[in-house]
Amino acid sequence: MSARVALVSSERGLRVDPDLPIAAPALRAAGLAVDLVRWDDPDVDWADYDLAVVRSCWDYAWRRAEFLAWAAAVPRLRNPVEVLAWNTDKAHLRDLVAAGLPVVPTVWDPTDVAALPEAGEWVVKPSISAGSRDTARWTQPAAVLGHVAELTAAGRTAMVQPYLASVDDAGETAMLFLGGRFSHAVRKGPLLQRGEGVRQDRDSRGDLRAVEPTPEQRAIAQAVFDAVPSLVPGAAPVLYARIDLVADAGGSPVVLELELAEPSLFLPQAPDGALAQLVAAVEDAIR
Ligand SMILES: Nc1ncnc2c1ncn2[C@@H]1O[C@H](COP(=O)(O)OP(=O)(O)O)[C@@H](O)[C@H]1O
Ligand SMILES: [Mg+2]
């Protein structure tokens, strides 16, 4: 009998995640029985699957406790629940900093102008968020502090970063790892417009394309990837990882995001070979 794999998504993810219609047929062609399922579907028996792969559970950001409780109850899950718990709060970026890895300079819950990072423009984001929800770009320190105060009043943790202008032209470089190794890189364009404030509906990115990363980007992404097992000790190996790099004010690559929970893999843009690497990684995780 063929091994059974669940590609785990959400109500919206099942409709719009562009990776699913590429990944599912490729896994089926390799002889696996694949179901596309919602993580919150009460009728699914997760013990039936040889592997459940978290893909586009994008609604976890406002249902995180429920999502992590679900993940803890799934017998064979990738990425493993310990990794999901650590990664779904951007507070994990502090662990990367402590490990000596280059991360976008970030100030947590600042309450006065003097505490803001040196910049002419800032980004404010909640530490638990996805799809740029409740995230905004500001030119006035008072607006920054107002946004922070709104988030903290709601019991959330606020992060303030310099707005890295390199994102406007060079964009963001998503470094994808499948199985234990690097797979491909995709350039993403900018997302936050000056003056637009907080928006909840930024979800499509038109300008995605495969790029060849620089040796420096390769080295930094690899160092971040290699650090994960020591930062989440005891967890099963990750099946997929995405490390989003941007250039800092001096032009050096720094980590904007480490995505181990529900990274888009950009399969529509991925070069030949990425899909085969994904299939091999899934087969490996089943064994
Ligand atoms: N410090 C920053 N400088 C420039 N752009 C940023 C910065 N932080 C976030 N952004 C923009 O906002 C988007 C979403 O922020 P990100 O940190 O990736 O969180 P998430 O993707 O989880 O919502 C990024 O893809 C980028 O376009
Ligand atoms: Mg992001």
PDB file of all heavy atoms in Angstrom, residues 90 125 129-132 172 188 191 205 242 244 256-259, ligand 2:
ATOM      1  N   LYS A  90       8.069  35.748  16.360  1.00  0.00           N
ATOM      2  CA  LYS A  90       9.322  36.313  15.839  1.00  0.00           C
ATOM      3  C   LYS A  90      10.327  36.642  16.952  1.00  0.00           C
ATOM      4  O   LYS A  90      11.460  37.050  16.660  1.00  0.00           O
ATOM      5  CB  LYS A  90       9.037  37.545  14.975  1.00  0.00           C
ATOM      6  CG  LYS A  90       8.384  37.216  13.633  1.00  0.00           C
ATOM      7  CD  LYS A  90       8.252  38.460  12.755  1.00  0.00           C
ATOM      8  CE  LYS A  90       7.750  38.148  11.350  1.00  0.00           C
ATOM      9  NZ  LYS A  90       6.308  37.811  11.286  1.00  0.00           N
ATOM     10  N   LYS A 125       5.899  45.883  13.625  1.00  0.00           N
ATOM     11  CA  LYS A 125       5.156  44.635  13.385  1.00  0.00           C
ATOM     12  C   LYS A 125       4.954  43.901  14.694  1.00  0.00           C
ATOM     13  O   LYS A 125       5.774  44.016  15.603  1.00  0.00           O
ATOM     14  CB  LYS A 125       5.891  43.759  12.367  1.00  0.00           C
ATOM     15  CG  LYS A 125       7.287  43.325  12.754  1.00  0.00           C
ATOM     16  CD  LYS A 125       7.983  42.532  11.641  1.00  0.00           C
ATOM     17  CE  LYS A 125       9.043  43.354  10.947  1.00  0.00           C
ATOM     18  NZ  LYS A 125       9.859  42.610   9.964  1.00  0.00           N
ATOM     19  N   SER A 129       2.625  37.165  13.815  1.00  0.00           N
ATOM     20  CA  SER A 129       1.885  37.673  12.662  1.00  0.00           C
ATOM     21  C   SER A 129       2.344  36.920  11.432  1.00  0.00           C
ATOM     22  O   SER A 129       3.402  36.307  11.429  1.00  0.00           O
ATOM     23  CB  SER A 129       2.167  39.166  12.470  1.00  0.00           C
ATOM     24  OG  SER A 129       1.599  39.631  11.253  1.00  0.00           O
ATOM     25  N   ALA A 130       1.531  36.959  10.397  1.00  0.00           N
ATOM     26  CA  ALA A 130       1.937  36.403   9.108  1.00  0.00           C
ATOM     27  C   ALA A 130       1.266  37.233   8.036  1.00  0.00           C
ATOM     28  O   ALA A 130       0.261  37.895   8.290  1.00  0.00           O
ATOM     29  CB  ALA A 130       1.511  34.936   8.993  1.00  0.00           C
ATOM     30  N   GLY A 131       1.850  37.210   6.857  1.00  0.00           N
ATOM     31  CA  GLY A 131       1.244  37.931   5.740  1.00  0.00           C
ATOM     32  C   GLY A 131       1.176  39.433   5.968  1.00  0.00           C
ATOM     33  O   GLY A 131       0.273  40.091   5.468  1.00  0.00           O
ATOM     34  N   SER A 132       2.116  39.952   6.714  1.00  0.00           N
ATOM     35  CA  SER A 132       2.260  41.385   7.009  1.00  0.00           C
ATOM     36  C   SER A 132       1.051  42.005   7.707  1.00  0.00           C
ATOM     37  O   SER A 132       0.852  43.216   7.666  1.00  0.00           O
ATOM     38  CB  SER A 132       2.615  42.185   5.744  1.00  0.00           C
ATOM     39  OG  SER A 132       1.477  42.464   4.956  1.00  0.00           O
ATOM     40  N   GLU A 172      13.816  41.467  -1.457  1.00  0.00           N
ATOM     41  CA  GLU A 172      14.099  40.520  -0.374  1.00  0.00           C
ATOM     42  C   GLU A 172      14.477  39.218  -1.080  1.00  0.00           C
ATOM     43  O   GLU A 172      13.851  38.875  -2.079  1.00  0.00           O
ATOM     44  CB  GLU A 172      12.770  40.331   0.337  1.00  0.00           C
ATOM     45  CG  GLU A 172      12.768  39.982   1.777  1.00  0.00           C
ATOM     46  CD  GLU A 172      11.312  39.921   2.277  1.00  0.00           C
ATOM     47  OE1 GLU A 172      10.505  40.827   1.968  1.00  0.00           O
ATOM     48  OE2 GLU A 172      10.985  38.957   2.965  1.00  0.00           O
ATOM     49  N   LYS A 188      11.746  38.645  -3.876  1.00  0.00           N
ATOM     50  CA  LYS A 188      10.418  39.204  -3.615  1.00  0.00           C
ATOM     51  C   LYS A 188      10.537  40.720  -3.635  1.00  0.00           C
ATOM     52  O   LYS A 188      11.478  41.264  -3.061  1.00  0.00           O
ATOM     53  CB  LYS A 188       9.911  38.805  -2.224  1.00  0.00           C
ATOM     54  CG  LYS A 188       9.934  37.311  -1.941  1.00  0.00           C
ATOM     55  CD  LYS A 188       9.124  37.003  -0.693  1.00  0.00           C
ATOM     56  CE  LYS A 188       9.988  36.875   0.542  1.00  0.00           C
ATOM     57  NZ  LYS A 188       9.168  36.539   1.737  1.00  0.00           N
ATOM     58  N   LEU A 191       6.752  45.421  -0.131  1.00  0.00           N
ATOM     59  CA  LEU A 191       5.349  45.206   0.206  1.00  0.00           C
ATOM     60  C   LEU A 191       4.715  46.424   0.860  1.00  0.00           C
ATOM     61  O   LEU A 191       3.551  46.711   0.648  1.00  0.00           O
ATOM     62  CB  LEU A 191       5.270  44.003   1.152  1.00  0.00           C
ATOM     63  CG  LEU A 191       3.976  43.229   1.213  1.00  0.00           C
ATOM     64  CD1 LEU A 191       3.592  42.681  -0.155  1.00  0.00           C
ATOM     65  CD2 LEU A 191       4.122  42.073   2.196  1.00  0.00           C
ATOM     66  N   ARG A 205       1.731  39.021  -4.131  1.00  0.00           N
ATOM     67  CA  ARG A 205       2.973  39.610  -4.589  1.00  0.00           C
ATOM     68  C   ARG A 205       3.104  39.271  -6.046  1.00  0.00           C
ATOM     69  O   ARG A 205       3.215  38.104  -6.414  1.00  0.00           O
ATOM     70  CB  ARG A 205       4.157  38.996  -3.864  1.00  0.00           C
ATOM     71  CG  ARG A 205       4.360  39.494  -2.462  1.00  0.00           C
ATOM     72  CD  ARG A 205       5.676  38.918  -1.999  1.00  0.00           C
ATOM     73  NE  ARG A 205       5.729  38.892  -0.569  1.00  0.00           N
ATOM     74  CZ  ARG A 205       6.470  39.727   0.141  1.00  0.00           C
ATOM     75  NH1 ARG A 205       7.205  40.637  -0.447  1.00  0.00           N
ATOM     76  NH2 ARG A 205       6.494  39.643   1.439  1.00  0.00           N
ATOM     77  N   ARG A 242      12.704  28.499   5.136  1.00  0.00           N
ATOM     78  CA  ARG A 242      12.933  29.650   4.258  1.00  0.00           C
ATOM     79  C   ARG A 242      13.584  30.750   5.074  1.00  0.00           C
ATOM     80  O   ARG A 242      13.115  31.058   6.174  1.00  0.00           O
ATOM     81  CB  ARG A 242      11.634  30.153   3.641  1.00  0.00           C
ATOM     82  CG  ARG A 242      11.892  31.027   2.406  1.00  0.00           C
ATOM     83  CD  ARG A 242      10.621  31.624   1.858  1.00  0.00           C
ATOM     84  NE  ARG A 242      10.212  32.729   2.709  1.00  0.00           N
ATOM     85  CZ  ARG A 242       8.949  33.022   3.010  1.00  0.00           C
ATOM     86  NH1 ARG A 242       7.960  32.308   2.540  1.00  0.00           N
ATOM     87  NH2 ARG A 242       8.685  34.050   3.791  1.00  0.00           N
ATOM     88  N   ASP A 244      14.600  34.618   4.769  1.00  0.00           N
ATOM     89  CA  ASP A 244      14.456  35.826   3.962  1.00  0.00           C
ATOM     90  C   ASP A 244      15.564  36.796   4.322  1.00  0.00           C
ATOM     91  O   ASP A 244      15.687  37.206   5.485  1.00  0.00           O
ATOM     92  CB  ASP A 244      13.092  36.477   4.223  1.00  0.00           C
ATOM     93  CG  ASP A 244      11.931  35.617   3.721  1.00  0.00           C
ATOM     94  OD1 ASP A 244      12.146  34.820   2.783  1.00  0.00           O
ATOM     95  OD2 ASP A 244      10.819  35.762   4.252  1.00  0.00           O
ATOM     96  N   LEU A 256      15.724  38.872   7.689  1.00  0.00           N
ATOM     97  CA  LEU A 256      14.469  39.565   7.991  1.00  0.00           C
ATOM     98  C   LEU A 256      13.505  38.581   8.623  1.00  0.00           C
ATOM     99  O   LEU A 256      12.749  38.925   9.523  1.00  0.00           O
ATOM    100  CB  LEU A 256      13.864  40.160   6.713  1.00  0.00           C
ATOM    101  CG  LEU A 256      12.544  40.907   6.889  1.00  0.00           C
ATOM    102  CD1 LEU A 256      12.731  42.138   7.765  1.00  0.00           C
ATOM    103  CD2 LEU A 256      11.959  41.322   5.548  1.00  0.00           C
ATOM    104  N   GLU A 257      13.538  37.358   8.143  1.00  0.00           N
ATOM    105  CA  GLU A 257      12.617  36.367   8.665  1.00  0.00           C
ATOM    106  C   GLU A 257      13.196  34.969   8.492  1.00  0.00           C
ATOM    107  O   GLU A 257      13.808  34.670   7.467  1.00  0.00           O
ATOM    108  CB  GLU A 257      11.283  36.479   7.908  1.00  0.00           C
ATOM    109  CG  GLU A 257      10.121  35.905   8.669  1.00  0.00           C
ATOM    110  CD  GLU A 257       8.774  36.141   7.991  1.00  0.00           C
ATOM    111  OE1 GLU A 257       8.724  36.724   6.902  1.00  0.00           O
ATOM    112  OE2 GLU A 257       7.784  35.707   8.572  1.00  0.00           O
ATOM    113  N   LEU A 258      12.996  34.133   9.494  1.00  0.00           N
ATOM    114  CA  LEU A 258      13.291  32.703   9.385  1.00  0.00           C
ATOM    115  C   LEU A 258      11.939  32.024   9.469  1.00  0.00           C
ATOM    116  O   LEU A 258      11.252  32.130  10.477  1.00  0.00           O
ATOM    117  CB  LEU A 258      14.195  32.259  10.546  1.00  0.00           C
ATOM    118  CG  LEU A 258      14.318  30.742  10.768  1.00  0.00           C
ATOM    119  CD1 LEU A 258      14.917  30.039   9.561  1.00  0.00           C
ATOM    120  CD2 LEU A 258      15.157  30.454  12.017  1.00  0.00           C
ATOM    121  N   GLU A 259      11.529  31.371   8.395  1.00  0.00           N
ATOM    122  CA  GLU A 259      10.194  30.783   8.315  1.00  0.00           C
ATOM    123  C   GLU A 259      10.287  29.260   8.348  1.00  0.00           C
ATOM    124  O   GLU A 259      10.711  28.643   7.381  1.00  0.00           O
ATOM    125  CB  GLU A 259       9.528  31.218   7.000  1.00  0.00           C
ATOM    126  CG  GLU A 259       8.320  32.104   7.183  1.00  0.00           C
ATOM    127  CD  GLU A 259       7.196  31.451   7.956  1.00  0.00           C
ATOM    128  OE1 GLU A 259       7.278  30.245   8.249  1.00  0.00           O
ATOM    129  OE2 GLU A 259       6.223  32.147   8.263  1.00  0.00           O
TER     130      GLU A 259
HETATM  131 MG    MG B   2       7.733  37.686   5.446  1.00  0.00          MG
END
